[in-house]
Amino acid sequence: QRRAGGRALGVDLFVIFCVFLSLLYGSRAEVPSKPTASVTILPPIKPDNGPQPYPEEEKSNLPVFTMNYPRIQIPFEITLWMLLASFAKIGFHVYPKITFWVPESCLLVSIGLIVGGIMYSVNEKPPAVLTSNVFFLYMLPPIVLDSVFSLYVQVLWFAVVGTLWNSIGIGMSLFAICQIEAFGVQDINLQENLLFATIISAVDPVAVLSVFEDVSVNEQLYIVVFGECLFNDAVTVVLYSMFSFVTEMPVVEPVDMFLGVATFLVVGLGGMGFGILFGFVAAFTTRFTSKVQEIEPLFIFMYSYLAYLVAELFAISSIMAIVCCALTMKYYVEENVSQRSCTTIRHVVKMLSAISETLIFFFLGVVTITTEHEWNWGYILFTLLFAFIWRGLGILVLTQIINPFRTIPFNTKDQFGMAYGGLRGAISFALAFTLPDNIARKHLFVTATIVIILFTVFLQGISIRPLIEFINVRRTNRKTDTINIEIHTRLMEHTMAGIEDLCGQWSHYYWKDKFMKFNNRILRRILLRDNRAESSIVALYKKLELQNAIEILDTASGDISAAPSIISLQEEKKNSTKPKKKFLAADLKNMHDILSKNMYKIRERTVSYTSKHALPNDNQRREILIRRHSSIRRSLRPGSFQTRIMPKSQKYFSLPPGESLNSRFPPTRQSFAGDPHAQETMSEVAYPARRSRFGNRSSSGAMMPLHRLGTLKEVSSVDFLNESERGSTGRGSQFRPQSLRRHLSADDNNGLADEMRIRQVEEEEEEEEERPQASQPPAWAAEPRDETPRNPLLRRPQWNEKK
Amino acid sequence: LSFLECSWRFCGRFKALWMKAALPDFKIRELTENPIGGRIIAAFFPPEKERLDFPSFVRILAHFRPIGKNRSRDRAQPEQANSRTGKLKFAFELYDQDRDGKISREELLQVLRAMLGLQVTEEQLRSIAERAIQEADLDGDGAISFDEFKKSLEKVDMEHKMNIRFLK
């Protein structure tokens, strides 16, 4: 049944797809011949498909209905192309089996090929959107930015030196080949060869990474490949600009080589310096943005983009600039900005980079069919050959050099994985496509690049998964996060730093230690809004407590003694046959205090080990909570609610539909960022005032961010009103406030929503304690009215009865 | 014994350090800033002794040799100082100052306090320590024995953590 549904979906998508295609052509047909408007975008139009523009006679009268296409033409077409590519992406996931075996880049290229085929058959050319400017100024930054934000650890060695090695090696050997007359490509000189070699040595191991992840290879391998991917792009572009500059010089002298190297260093390091500078400025700015949270993401983007552009201005490596800027920002800014801004930033960056990559691959497919190719068997085949050879050699040599320095050396299987994972991708294509036209053999280069990309993407991409599994690359043992490991690891690091001090022998522990001290003392004071250095031990502890709290919800269906007390939780897990422990008020209070005080700042620090192309999945916890809520509510029987609540809640029935609780009890808006303690105390102060309205519960520490409260109420109030009114009449009804669940799940506030629900858990369990008697208020649904915005976990009547 | 061999090889360097260390007011600045600096130094001195002789110094440092390539041999002799067990023992003894073979809650708290210091409140420290003990404590005596310690770290890669390369 699902497959049929999937197929129906696929058919739908296909229909939409076709509609879009025709729209695209139709729109082209619309354009009257206005050469100025279409100089970069559009080719000459075919007037035979699509509706005709309005006939002439309308013009004399007042135009009631006009179509002014040229005005919107450019954005319109860009949008259509993007949508087309995105639909393609959606389409793949209809059949998940496809995405399992075939990497996404393959699929995108295939779709591009198809579209290109269509266009070719109607004799159209693709829009020449992919100019150098567009690529470098608009498409590249998001890709790079995204790589940086997903970064786990930097590995410069393979990336920089590897790329250099590859480019020079391939370039040299191709040049040697060119000398052979049989191939007829003698006119390509050394510089052009080097340039070409640089282009095709830009490895894009995206497909490899996703496979690695699924197979969960050992972390070292993953990190190296990941880092290589990141810096590869950067290095390639740097080399490319260098070499393209060199190709324009008629004669290359030895001094130029040195100058070239010097340029490389200046360019690279200059880029880094610029980037770090911008990063610091950004961090400093965000220190003061606690009142203007909505535009925090804007700062991040603007600063990174500015770094990029300014670096372009000075002709230093803009990629390095943006990378370093983003890295610096990531560390400091992440602590300053609110959780929401972080999420926004991550989402937007992922989106932009996905668009860029999608478009580039898509164009690859289209261009493959539609451009004029220059084919030269010898050159192209040898290019392929050399690309493989040099990559393999390069990995081998580099590994040999670096292995003595590593504590776990790379074994042959790892090396094979790395070498085989040398898929070329988007960047190569874009660079090739935007080669300056003064290179005589541009088409040959483009053709060769396309061939390499297609070959690697399709062949290697599809075969890498079975191969990796076959050769059984060493897997990772994901260490379970336990507090013990964290503490002992920290102890060992301190020990190592100490021992190294003793020996006078410094390794990276020493430098790390030193840098951390400098960081804590100086940098963080200046750049951070709220400088409370949070140890990773404490952060991990908080995270684990949160997980525990969630586990309570999960395991404690109707089970009183799944107490939130830490100790009893552990025991409960171990032997459920033990007699149930009593709720200790002290335990409870303890946990409340700790949870409430510690959970203001739980944030996923490292987005480690997630794929470059997917967002970190912190949805799981929320979903557990949401499911928990609904299952609890479903299991509720009417009754057993406080009489105390009754008089208060009855008053809600009188609320006319449509009037939100908001109007009755206007929440105070509070910004979440800023000093969490201050915020908590504020809400603590404000909260009892509200709670007294709701029935004299004496709670110890449960607190609620009030502005969240308001939002939820607004969202769900109307539905509640209706439902509660219905519910008041029907006692036995067990309908679900479905809307609440929907609204809750629709909210995208990770941290806040989680906290709120945790607090509601506490509240609920606490209430449970305080109201030992079961009583029956008339309206079961009154409870949700009263509590649900703050406490969707309705009370479980079974608990009371067992007492 | 292999650590002696190592000591002969790096005799010169160690001797210099040892000379410095033998001075009465021995202070390495960074070590004083290290939260567990005192414990590290104390680990070098055998119990009840005020002076450190060279072989003892080397013996302690031998813990930090990388685990050799000849893995089978090391496994056969787990008492070797630089075996995984040896390294873990060293770390264990950093906690267990009173040498009773167990890390009690108090001892863990002390270390935590030293490492986390001013960042957290006392009750947070207690909770963390409590949680750590619960995670590791399998026999329920409220303290972590050496075996429990080893078990809790079984997934951690020691080759990375406690090595000084030049000792190889």
Side-chain angles (χ1 to χ4, degrees):
Chain A
Q1 195 183 23
R2 248 187 105 187
R3 288 183 67 195
R7 276 211 203 97
L9 190 60
V11 167
D12 284 340
L13 282 175
F14 186 64
V15 166
I16 300 178
F17 192 77
C18 292
V19 165
F20 261 96
L21 268 181
S22 53
L23 204 59
L24 210 52
Y25 292 119
S27 63
R28 294 246 182 76
E30 280 291 334
V31 180
S33 46
K34 278 198 180 176
T36 48
S38 54
V39 95
T40 46
I41 294 294
L42 253 225
I45 343 96
K46 302 292 164 199
D48 44 352
N49 26 356
Q52 299 299 321
Y54 273 77
E56 302 279 340
E57 55 232 38
E58 295 271 353
K59 275 196 185 155
S60 46
N61 306 327
L62 185 69
V64 177
F65 178 66
T66 52
M67 286 177 62
N68 185 6
Y69 185 67
R71 186 166 159 252
I72 61 152
Q73 177 184 344
I74 297 175
F76 186 68
E77 289 186 355
I78 294 179
T79 316
L80 277 184
W81 275 105
M82 282 205 264
L83 270 177
L84 197 61
S86 313
F87 272 120
K89 254 191 147 162
I90 298 180
F92 303 147
H93 291 278
V94 168
Y95 297 106
K97 268 200 173 168
I98 299 185
T99 42
F100 185 73
W101 286 108
V102 180
E104 215 171 79
S105 18
C106 278
L107 294 171
L108 281 171
V109 172
S110 336
I111 296 281
L113 285 171
I114 297 175
V115 173
I118 299 177
M119 293 177 87
Y120 187 70
S121 58
V122 294
N123 275 333
E124 277 220 30
K125 280 179 158 285
V129 211
L130 198 57
T131 61
S132 167
N133 249 6
V134 167
F135 174 67
F136 279 102
L137 291 185
Y138 300 122
M139 290 188 146
L140 191 54
I143 297 182
V144 176
L145 206 57
D146 177 42
S147 305
V148 175
F149 281 145
S150 321
L151 189 58
Y152 184 44
V153 151
Q154 298 187 37
V155 174
L156 281 173
W157 177 249
F158 277 103
V160 174
V161 180
T163 315
L164 267 177
W165 171 273
N166 270 325
S167 337
I168 297 182
I170 298 180
M172 294 289 189
S173 37
L174 276 178
F175 182 62
I177 290 295
C178 289
Q179 309 301 7
I180 303 177
E181 290 177 12
F183 298 122
V185 282
Q186 270 165 305
D187 53 329
I188 309 181
N189 56 10
L190 182 62
Q191 298 99 298
E192 291 179 352
N193 267 315
L194 281 175
L195 185 61
F196 175 64
T198 316
I199 295 176
I200 62 168
S201 55
V203 173
D204 184 32
V206 165
V208 182
L209 284 181
S210 58
V211 172
F212 276 6
E213 232 181 79
D214 291 337
V215 171
S216 51
V217 296
N218 64 76
E219 252 183 33
Q220 292 300 315
L221 186 58
Y222 186 86
I223 289 173
V224 166
V225 174
F226 204 8
E228 190 190 357
C229 166
L230 166 75
F231 275 102
N232 226 302
D233 298 349
V235 172
T236 304
V237 173
V238 168
L239 277 180
Y240 174 86
S241 23
M242 205 172 78
F243 280 136
S244 64
F245 182 73
V246 164
T247 52
E248 288 168 20
M249 294 167 41
V251 166
V252 181
E253 300 166 12
V255 69
D256 288 325
M257 295 294 284
F258 286 118
L259 280 182
V261 172
T263 316
F264 184 70
L265 283 176
V266 163
V267 156
L269 292 176
M272 267 204 273
F274 253 86
I276 295 183
L277 183 69
F278 269 97
F280 280 148
V281 174
F284 191 64
T285 315
T286 53
R287 189 174 166 192
F288 304 109
T289 58
S290 47
K291 305 292 176 208
V292 283
Q293 276 175 26
E294 304 83 25
I295 60 171
E296 270 167 355
L298 194 67
F299 278 115
I300 309 293
F301 297 132
M302 290 302 114
Y303 272 112
S304 337
Y305 202 44
L306 202 62
Y308 187 79
L309 292 175
V310 169
E312 285 271 325
L313 170 67
F314 289 113
I316 55 179
S317 164
S318 40
I319 300 249
M320 292 303 288
I322 201 176
V323 163
C324 292
C325 182
L327 278 177
T328 323
M329 280 197 306
K330 176 175 149 124
Y331 180 67
Y332 291 108
V333 170
E334 225 179 24
E335 303 217 5
N336 271 343
V337 305
S338 68
Q339 181 79 338
R340 242 188 262 189
S341 301
C342 264
T343 318
T344 311
I345 294 171
R346 265 193 262 164
H347 276 265
V348 173
V349 167
K350 281 256 185 278
M351 184 187 74
L352 288 177
S353 97
I355 291 179
S356 283
E357 283 209 37
T358 309
L359 273 180
I360 293 182
F361 273 116
F362 197 65
F363 270 120
L364 177 64
V366 171
V367 161
T368 309
I369 309 246
T370 52
T371 47
E372 45 179 276
H373 290 287
E374 182 180 336
W375 188 266
N376 183 311
W377 278 104
Y379 197 75
I380 292 182
L381 286 180
F382 270 104
T383 308
L384 267 180
L385 191 67
F386 284 134
F388 283 122
I389 294 179
W390 282 100
R391 178 158 178 90
L393 272 181
I395 297 273
L396 207 67
V397 169
L398 294 181
T399 327
Q400 291 310 318
I401 297 180
I402 198 181
N403 260 346
F405 296 103
R406 297 177 50 84
T407 36
I408 309 183
F410 284 125
N411 59 12
T412 337
K413 293 184 190 163
D414 293 334
Q415 292 171 25
F416 179 75
M418 278 191 282
Y420 199 71
L423 276 63
R424 274 68 179 171
I427 301 254
S428 308
F429 171 65
L431 285 175
F433 200 68
T434 58
L435 274 173
D437 281 324
N438 57 5
I439 296 183
R441 292 290 198 148
K442 177 178 170 179
H443 291 290
L444 176 61
F445 288 149
V446 171
T447 311
T449 311
I450 292 182
V451 167
I452 281 206
I453 294 181
L454 287 179
F455 189 82
T456 57
V457 164
F458 278 98
L459 214 74
Q460 280 179 264
I462 298 185
S463 63
I464 193 163
R465 181 185 290 268
L467 262 179
I468 293 248
E469 294 198 7
F470 180 68
I471 65 173
N472 200 17
V473 173
R474 195 171 39 199
R475 311 282 176 102
T476 184
N477 7 339
R478 301 243 173 109
K479 49 178 200 221
T480 31
D481 303 344
T482 64
I483 279 279
N484 270 295
I485 290 183
E486 187 75 29
I487 296 179
H488 301 320
T489 315
R490 177 71 66 80
L491 179 90
M492 284 190 256
E493 284 179 6
H494 281 304
T495 314
M496 290 316 293
I499 297 276
E500 281 164 8
D501 286 334
L502 210 52
C503 298
Q505 178 81 9
W506 297 332
S507 76
H508 70 280
Y509 285 114
Y510 177 78
W511 292 113
K512 185 173 165 190
D513 211 40
K514 248 209 154 46
F515 176 69
M516 290 311 285
K517 285 210 187 94
F518 169 68
N519 193 18
N520 283 332
R521 251 182 233 146
I522 300 181
L523 290 178
R524 289 176 74 112
R525 280 228 191 102
I526 303 179
L527 298 175
L528 285 189
R529 194 185 289 172
D530 173 23
N531 186 15
R532 218 160 331 145
E534 182 168 275
S535 147
S536 64
I537 294 183
V538 179
L540 179 64
Y541 169 71
K542 291 177 191 169
K543 178 174 147 202
L544 290 173
E545 286 301 310
L546 177 61
Q547 281 178 1
N548 263 354
I550 294 174
E551 280 160 17
I552 295 171
L553 302 181
D554 247 6
T555 60
S557 54
D559 188 9
I560 313 177
S561 54
S565 153
I566 306 170
I567 300 176
S568 52
L569 175 69
Q570 295 284 3
E571 291 196 22
E572 191 63 39
K573 275 179 161 181
K574 283 174 196 160
N575 31 20
S576 47
T577 53
K578 261 194 177 177
K580 322 253 182 198
K581 256 199 167 173
K582 262 190 67 177
F583 253 47
L584 297 176
D587 280 341
L588 215 41
K589 183 172 192 310
N590 208 20
M591 183 183 122
H592 290 328
D593 285 346
I594 292 172
L595 280 181
S596 58
K597 280 187 200 151
N598 296 350
M599 288 204 300
Y600 57 84
K601 220 177 179 191
I602 303 178
R603 198 173 283 173
E604 300 275 346
R605 277 291 178 82
T606 46
V607 188
S608 67
Y609 231 110
T610 55
S611 115
K612 178 180 167 191
H613 287 257
L615 282 168
N617 188 9
D618 29 296
N619 287 328
Q620 196 206 7
R621 291 198 222 138
R622 262 186 300 144
E623 284 180 28
I624 294 179
L625 276 167
I626 294 171
R627 272 187 279 118
R628 192 70 204 120
H629 297 170
S630 48
S631 67
I632 289 174
R633 285 189 225 118
R634 244 180 265 125
S635 65
L636 259 184
R637 281 179 297 126
S640 71
F641 291 93
Q642 293 302 314
T643 23
R644 269 190 286 169
I645 302 304
M646 183 173 60
K648 298 287 180 186
S649 39
Q650 265 183 338
K651 123 171 131 184
Y652 292 118
F653 299 143
S654 62
L655 269 178
E659 187 183 339
S660 63
L661 281 175
N662 245 345
S663 53
R664 288 282 172 132
F665 307 106
T668 49
R669 293 217 156 257
Q670 290 181 8
S671 66
F672 182 62
D675 190 9
H677 277 329
Q679 188 238 336
E680 280 182 330
T681 44
M682 262 174 80
S683 51
E684 200 171 9
V685 162
Y687 191 71
R690 297 198 68 159
R691 301 202 66 196
S692 59
R693 285 194 200 128
F694 296 151
N696 310 329
R697 276 172 240 155
S698 56
S699 149
S700 55
M703 285 169 264
M704 190 65 49
L706 286 177
H707 68 291
R708 271 299 288 138
L709 182 61
T711 320
L712 241 195
K713 278 193 177 160
E714 287 164 32
V715 145
S716 56
S717 59
V718 180
D719 296 334
F720 271 117
L721 282 165
N722 296 334
E723 291 181 0
S724 70
E725 274 160 58
R726 267 186 284 133
S728 64
T729 50
R731 277 252 224 128
S733 58
Q734 290 201 20
F735 61 83
R736 294 272 18 88
Q738 300 281 344
S739 49
L740 176 65
R741 187 166 25 125
R742 254 188 286 120
H743 289 305
L744 275 181
S745 47
D747 280 320
D748 226 357
N749 261 326
N750 306 351
L752 281 172
D754 282 350
E755 288 170 41
M756 184 180 62
R757 288 194 198 102
I758 296 297
R759 288 170 191 177
Q760 288 151 0
V761 173
E762 302 166 35
E763 230 192 282
E764 184 217 70
E765 284 150 352
E766 179 184 27
E767 287 157 14
E768 200 251 47
E769 241 252 319
E770 292 158 5
R771 299 190 225 138
Q773 69 280 31
S775 40
Q776 322 259 330
W780 165 88
E783 196 75 350
R785 159 54 38 72
D786 180 13
E787 290 181 21
T788 322
R790 290 173 292 120
N791 191 1
L793 284 180
L794 297 177
R795 295 162 34 98
R796 306 165 213 184
Q798 300 97 308
W799 293 23
N800 280 335
E801 285 165 11
K802 274 187 187 164
K803 271 195 180 171
Chain B
L1 288 169
S2 52
F3 57 80
L4 271 183
E5 147 195 319
C6 124
S7 77
W8 279 116
R9 225 189 292 161
F10 297 102
C11 203
R13 193 179 328 203
F14 281 167
K15 270 247 163 77
L17 282 169
W18 171 62
M19 292 298 182
K20 203 160 83 170
L23 292 174
D25 50 349
F26 168 55
K27 265 199 182 81
I28 297 184
R29 187 175 52 93
E30 288 87 3
L31 216 52
T32 58
E33 294 174 347
N34 193 317
I36 53 171
R39 288 173 187 253
I40 296 176
I41 295 186
F44 277 88
F45 289 83
E48 311 298 322
K49 289 209 11 208
E50 288 281 312
R51 303 187 67 84
L52 177 67
D53 56 356
F54 186 57
S56 311
F57 183 72
V58 171
R59 212 167 283 139
I60 301 292
L61 269 187
H63 284 293
F64 295 96
R65 287 180 66 205
I67 296 181
K69 282 214 170 137
N70 220 333
R71 301 257 172 117
S72 55
R73 191 163 61 92
D74 278 354
R75 250 187 251 126
Q77 306 169 21
E79 312 86 29
Q80 266 205 321
N82 70 331
S83 67
R84 188 192 162 89
T85 313
K87 294 182 200 275
L88 284 172
K89 190 82 185 160
F90 186 81
F92 188 77
E93 274 165 14
L94 283 176
Y95 283 103
D96 186 20
Q97 293 289 303
D98 56 3
R99 300 274 189 264
D100 63 353
K102 287 184 187 296
I103 303 178
S104 71
R105 195 165 299 153
E106 263 314 304
E107 288 169 339
L108 189 60
L109 253 183
Q110 280 169 16
V111 173
L112 273 178
R113 207 174 284 134
M115 289 202 295
L116 295 179
L118 304 164
Q119 298 172 17
V120 290
T121 62
E122 185 63 29
E123 63 177 58
Q124 269 185 325
L125 279 178
R126 286 192 188 282
S127 323
I128 294 176
E130 183 65 45
R131 196 200 167 91
I133 292 200
Q134 273 176 27
E135 275 179 4
D137 190 17
L138 302 169
D139 55 7
D141 58 354
I144 306 180
S145 69
F146 182 56
D147 288 319
E148 290 165 353
F149 185 74
K150 258 200 305 188
K151 187 143 194 353
S152 74
L153 286 177
E154 63 186 355
K155 297 218 172 87
V156 172
D157 181 11
M158 298 303 292
E159 284 120 68
H160 257 138
K161 299 265 179 299
M162 297 194 43
N163 279 329
I164 300 187
R165 289 216 71 99
F166 81 90
L167 286 173
K168 198 161 179 123

